[in-house]
Amino acid sequence: MSLFDHRISDIHELLHKKELTVTDLVDESYKRIQSVEGKVDAFLHLTEEAARKKAAELDSKVAANELSGSLFGIPVGIKDNIVTKGVRTTCASKLLENFEPIHNATVVNQLMDAQAVTIGKLNMDEFAMGSSNENSGFKPTRNPWDLDRVPGGSSGGSAASVAAGEVFFSLGSDTGGSIREPASFCGVVGMKPTYGRVSRFGLVAFASSLDQIGPITRTVEDNAFVLQAISGHDKMDSTSANVDVPHFSAGLNEGVKGLRIAVPKEYLGEGVSTEVREQVMQSLKTLEGLGATWEEVSLPHSKYATAAYYLLASSEASANLARFDGIRYGVRVEEDNLIETYKKSRSQGFGDEVKRRIMLGTFALSSGYYDAYYKKAQKVRTLIKQDFEEVFNKFDVIIGPTAPTTAFKIGEKVNDPLTMYATDILTIPVNLAGVPAISVPSGLAGGLPVGLQIIGKFFDEATIYRVAHAFEQATNFNELKPKL
Amino acid sequence: MERISKEQVKHVANLARLEFSEKEIELFAKQLDDIISYAEQLNELDTENVEPTSHVLDVKNVLREDEVKPSLDQKDVMKNAPDHEDGQFKVPSVLE
């Protein structure tokens, strides 16, 4: 058994009783990394020296009975698009190979305030664009359940490192499913909070109106714990919401009796594999057995979400990524004049998927096409958001699969962008609407994890956690672990 | 129908400050054409009277007092610059 099979509350009890040290926890991380990282490739860089120093510092606090901080001593991995002061942050792009930020993201400061210990920075699809981690500019991460398969993306390293027991928890970011899809593929718990719940300051922007940081953990309770530590308004991010943050785990054990669940027929239709559909039906039975009721509903504009998303996200990306020009930071390829220097630096620094999305976005925003593509997609976004609002007038949560299939093989979809984009059909609508959603393990199909997606109302992560916790307690699917 | 020509790809690439080989332009023209034709299914929807959503939260201009505060250290700012001189970013010539 690994120390990381415990919950954060158990770990804190052991630390209090002095039956465990923070150094033990950090050792556990690096030992596990040493034994499995060669197979999984979840990390881009490790911060072992700093982690050991921090562990010693925290252990002396324990000795002095000064144990405080909600994540005290807990080893964390951070997705490499979240900036860390003095620690390389590359977004898995060759263009930022040597970039060392001069400040911390707000979430990183919050983790430090909570006394978590950073183990390293995690691999991802370049600039968070992808669903398989194959778009990393450095190396693909592998799925701990089957090393020939993808871990999902773009937070593939974040999900794989938790599933492989290399870190206790991780942070990822989710623009169109980038926390939930890899959590589903790797059999861990991944939350995309309400847009605005968590500060984006220091998250390298992909699509600013959709991006949101969230936790990946082994249990629902720990997930609520971590979200608690990183939530709240931040004056450095004017799109972070100035709303109260409830105590996410307060109602965790209240059960689901009387809960009204909506199941969109579009989420169980074409493109969703039979085994995934069966798992969802089974999960609904479990929740029914716990006292919830469910009804089939329609989110009629779901089928348009992927098209609208790729236009909007790529348009925002084309503007956001204009800053990478090889002048103030990043790798420069010097030419005779400025324009050629921009072009060479960007063309050599960015990978194919990033270029493809910049091109699509630039096209959609260009003169003559703006109304037909960009504005049209924004209007469709309104219709998708209204679909959710209508269902939430009558129901507490929406439930469906997280991904249409289990993890696919490395190389299987890499040459066909549209097939790859279809992986996100069930997660994208949530980002367009801005509502929160979690993926929790709902068992295995063919030896691979299947994720159940629970979608909630604006700023109602607490209800999502309550449902997810009741499900987890009834099934214990979170205890299934890959054999590595 | 071909929606995206090779000429268009070259034009957009220039706007995006990217450059491609002839082979890449051909590939991108095809892939972008596929994606755009996929996106054209949005035209099935009547959105005549629908307001566009650019942002999900009802946030209007967020203002703050304009206070003088210390700014970033010049050494920090230059730390990641590929080329700099006398505390300024050094770039290739802009004007001929």
Side-chain angles (χ1 to χ4, degrees), chain A residues 371-433:
Chain A
D371 283 337
Y373 295 108
Y374 181 70
K375 204 162 182 195
K376 180 81 186 181
Q378 283 190 315
K379 290 180 166 192
V380 174
R381 184 176 186 181
T382 304
L383 297 174
I384 289 163
K385 193 176 169 227
Q386 286 168 353
D387 281 356
F388 280 95
E389 283 163 0
E390 240 163 79
V391 169
F392 280 131
N393 279 334
K394 282 199 252 161
F395 295 89
D396 302 305
V397 291
I398 296 173
I399 287 184
T402 305
T405 64
T406 53
F408 47 89
K409 288 243 162 86
I410 292 173
E412 195 179 317
K413 301 185 179 181
V414 78
N415 292 320
D416 185 354
L418 278 176
T419 311
M420 186 70 93
Y421 296 172
T423 312
D424 302 330
I425 49 172
L426 306 169
T427 47
I428 277 173
V430 170
N431 298 78
L432 291 172

Side-chain angles (χ1 to χ4, degrees), chain A residues 134-427:
Chain A
E134 291 165 290
N135 297 335
S136 166
F138 302 111
K139 60 184 181 183
T141 293
R142 293 166 185 276
N143 191 315
W145 290 85
D146 178 348
L147 299 172
D148 292 331
R149 291 178 189 268
V150 304
S154 67
S155 310
S158 301
S161 61
V162 173
E166 295 178 304
V167 286
F168 202 101
F169 76 95
S170 65
L171 291 187
S173 66
D174 190 316
T175 305
S178 281
I179 288 173
R180 291 160 287 153
E181 186 240 15
S184 170
F185 282 9
C186 293
V188 291
V189 181
M191 173 65 121
K192 186 214 78 92
T194 309
Y195 181 85
R197 177 62 95 189
V198 178
S199 168
R200 294 185 297 111
F201 180 68
L203 171 68
V204 178
F206 158 16
S208 310
S209 79
L210 302 159
D211 298 342
Q212 190 60 192
I213 295 171
I216 295 180
T217 56
R218 290 273 290 279
T219 66
V220 173
E221 180 187 306
D222 286 352
N223 204 287
F225 240 74
V226 179
L227 184 62
Q228 198 79 50
I230 61 172
S231 289
H233 180 249
D234 177 14
K235 67 178 189 328
M236 300 302 280
D237 173 8
S238 56
T239 63
S240 70
N242 206 345
V243 295
D244 286 342
V245 180
H247 193 337
F248 293 125
S249 48
L252 218 51
N253 291 309
E254 280 171 18
V256 294
K257 207 162 186 326
L259 184 94
R260 297 162 306 169
I261 302 170
V263 180
K265 62 175 189 217
E266 292 82 4
Y267 284 32
L268 293 168
E270 208 188 326
V272 179
S273 79
T274 315
E275 49 189 24
V276 167
R277 210 176 303 157
E278 280 169 4
Q279 288 273 19
V280 173
M281 296 319 288
Q282 197 57 46
S283 305
L284 287 169
K285 260 189 210 153
T286 303
L287 288 165
E288 228 172 8
L290 296 171
T293 57
W294 69 272
E295 243 177 83
E296 191 176 275
V297 298
S298 176
L299 295 170
H301 298 96
S302 297
K303 72 166 185 165
Y304 302 102
T306 307
Y309 171 83
Y310 277 93
L311 289 171
L312 295 174
S314 302
S315 296
E316 292 188 30
S318 73
N320 274 326
L321 272 62
R323 73 192 65 174
F324 300 108
D325 56 7
I327 302 303
R328 292 155 299 157
Y329 39 71
V331 176
R332 181 190 297 183
V333 182
E334 183 111 11
E335 289 292 311
D336 294 345
N337 65 55
L338 193 60
I339 301 289
E340 287 306 310
T341 300
Y342 290 154
K343 286 186 178 175
K344 279 274 183 326
S345 303
R346 288 165 63 78
S347 299
Q348 293 188 20
F350 291 140
D352 281 350
E353 182 61 26
V354 174
K355 288 183 203 169
R356 191 153 39 234
R357 298 210 198 178
I358 292 174
M359 289 289 285
L360 175 63
T362 308
F363 173 77
L365 292 175
S366 66
S367 163
Y369 298 98
Y370 178 90
D371 283 337
Y373 295 108
Y374 181 70
K375 204 162 182 195
K376 180 81 186 181
Q378 283 190 315
K379 290 180 166 192
V380 174
R381 184 176 186 181
T382 304
L383 297 174
I384 289 163
K385 193 176 169 227
Q386 286 168 353
D387 281 356
F388 280 95
E389 283 163 0
E390 240 163 79
V391 169
F392 280 131
N393 279 334
K394 282 199 252 161
F395 295 89
D396 302 305
V397 291
I398 296 173
I399 287 184
T402 305
T405 64
T406 53
F408 47 89
K409 288 243 162 86
I410 292 173
E412 195 179 317
K413 301 185 179 181
V414 78
N415 292 320
D416 185 354
L418 278 176
T419 311
M420 186 70 93
Y421 296 172
T423 312
D424 302 330
I425 49 172
L426 306 169
T427 47

Side-chain angles (χ1 to χ4, degrees), chain B residues 5-61:
Chain B
S5 67
K6 284 201 274 180
E7 284 316 305
Q8 253 175 317
V9 172
K10 286 181 191 169
H11 168 67
V12 173
N14 181 50
L15 292 175
R17 299 295 187 241
L18 289 168
E19 62 173 24
F20 298 107
S21 67
E22 278 300 316
K23 219 177 123 194
E24 285 174 314
I25 286 172
E26 239 167 77
L27 182 69
F28 269 98
K30 191 193 168 300
Q31 288 181 336
L32 286 177
D33 197 64
D34 287 349
I35 297 170
I36 288 295
S37 27
Y38 175 73
E40 280 181 358
Q41 59 169 303
L42 298 186
N43 294 333
E44 293 167 15
L45 295 170
D46 177 8
T47 52
E48 182 74 35
N49 298 312
V50 179
E51 284 296 314
T53 296
S54 56
H55 206 272
V56 289
L57 300 178
D58 195 21
V59 185
K60 295 273 151 48
N61 295 331

Side-chain angles (χ1 to χ4, degrees), chain B residues 78-95:
Chain B
M78 291 298 147
K79 186 176 139 183
N80 285 289
D83 200 2
H84 61 101
E85 199 176 300
D86 301 332
Q88 297 177 66
F89 296 109
K90 200 172 169 188
V91 300
S93 66
V94 180
L95 299 169

